[in-house]
Structures are given as C-alpha cells and as structure tokens.
Amino acid sequence: MATTLTDTRGIIAIAAAGVAQRRQRVVMGERGERDLVAHSADMHDAFEALRAYVDEVALGLDARLGGAEAALRGAFAHRALVRYDAYNELSGKQSVSIALLDDERSGIVLSCIHHRDQARVYAKAVNGGQGELELSPEEVEAVRIALSPAGSGETAQHPA
C-alpha cells in the first residue's frame, strides 16, 4: 500500500511531522521558546564545564591530601610511658621513660631519673625502632610497648 502526500495517510503524516516539529521547538525556560536541539547542546556544554570544574577541584584536593599525609607521617603516632624506681628507693616509681615515635618507627625516648634530691633527664633519638645510643632496659620497654599493636598510649610499670 503506497502512500502519497495527498491521500489521508500522507496528510496525517505531514500533520504529525508538523506537530512534532512544533513540540520540538518549544522548551519553556528562562530563555523563552528555544529549539530542543539547541537546549540539548547548551546542557552538554554546561555538563562539560561542570566536569572540568570538578576535575580541577579534585586535583586541588589530591594535592592538599598529599600534603596532609606527608605531614602526618612525621607526627607521633606511637607512644608509651614506663614508670620505674631507678634507685630501688621504694619512692613510688617516680622515674619514667617515654617513647614518642612516628609511623616510620622513629622519634625520641625521654627518660627522667628521679633520686631523693635530684632528677636527671636524658633524651635519645630512635630510628627504625633502634636507639642511636644504647637504650636502657626501661627505654627498650617503652619503645617495645609503643610499637606494639595495642601500645599507643600505654603506661607500664617496670619492676626495676
């Protein structure tokens, strides 16, 4: 069944095409009547601009996050305090050794040795979990506790 533009089917097809074209041309919005294709192109351009902005912000956030992570690597993440009686004076374990280490297992050990009429403070560097100078048994214990899985913030009593 062939259809020509002058028979009923042809006239209905022309009318339908005209209505469809008119409907396609009307998109109501802030700009009034616009072509649907032009509106789609504008939407595409807006999404591309948004994507470029999001990519730019993401790059900035990545850079900031990298800086924060670098700063945190040097922060003290592991710590422990060991109390002991350095001179066996039964003075209530007033001497202490404190380990303050970062995630690289490096940092410092501070020891304060209390005697009846004096106190001495010692500081030793720790690199990779090992003291640069020889560590006392209490300092070794403080480093061990600080680096143990449950050791961050622990306080221990050393028998000495």
Side-chain angles (χ1 to χ4, degrees), residues 83-112:
R83 294 185 174 281
Y84 51 97
D85 186 357
Y87 296 105
N88 295 318
E89 297 174 337
L90 302 173
S91 63
K93 299 189 181 212
Q94 295 298 308
S95 296
V96 295
S97 289
I98 302 167
L100 302 170
L101 308 171
D102 63 15
D103 274 339
E104 303 291 322
R105 302 167 30 132
S106 297
I108 58 171
V109 175
L110 299 171
S111 293
C112 185

Side-chain angles (χ1 to χ4, degrees), residues 58-72:
L59 285 173
L61 289 175
D62 283 345
R64 290 179 64 192
L65 182 60
E69 288 173 342
L72 286 175

Side-chain angles (χ1 to χ4, degrees), residues 11-151:
I11 293 171
I12 291 173
I14 291 171
V19 169
Q21 185 178 13
R22 178 164 166 70
R23 295 258 183 204
Q24 182 259 325
R25 292 193 57 80
V26 178
V27 175
M28 298 305 288
E30 294 177 9
R31 297 183 188 174
E33 288 188 18
R34 293 183 39 213
D35 183 89
L36 188 56
V37 174
H39 177 70
S40 296
D42 288 347
M43 291 296 291
H44 179 267
D45 292 345
F47 278 118
E48 287 300 316
L50 179 61
R51 181 176 160 203
Y53 172 75
V54 169
D55 287 347
E56 181 182 325
V57 169
L59 285 173
L61 289 175
D62 283 345
R64 290 179 64 192
L65 182 60
E69 288 173 342
L72 286 175
R73 278 192 289 274
F76 293 136
H78 307 282
R79 62 211 177 277
L81 181 139
V82 175
R83 294 185 174 281
Y84 51 97
D85 186 357
Y87 296 105
N88 295 318
E89 297 174 337
L90 302 173
S91 63
K93 299 189 181 212
Q94 295 298 308
S95 296
V96 295
S97 289
I98 302 167
L100 302 170
L101 308 171
D102 63 15
D103 274 339
E104 303 291 322
R105 302 167 30 132
S106 297
I108 58 171
V109 175
L110 299 171
S111 293
C112 185
I113 310 299
H114 287 270
H115 197 279
R116 283 189 193 122
D117 50 351
Q118 66 179 344
R120 294 184 181 165
V121 177
Y122 301 92
K124 297 177 183 174
V126 176
N127 287 310
Q130 301 295 316
E132 286 185 348
L133 300 173
E134 185 175 350
L135 299 178
S136 70
E138 296 83 8
E139 292 167 335
V140 169
E141 179 73 358
V143 169
R144 184 193 67 75
I145 293 169
L147 294 176
S148 69

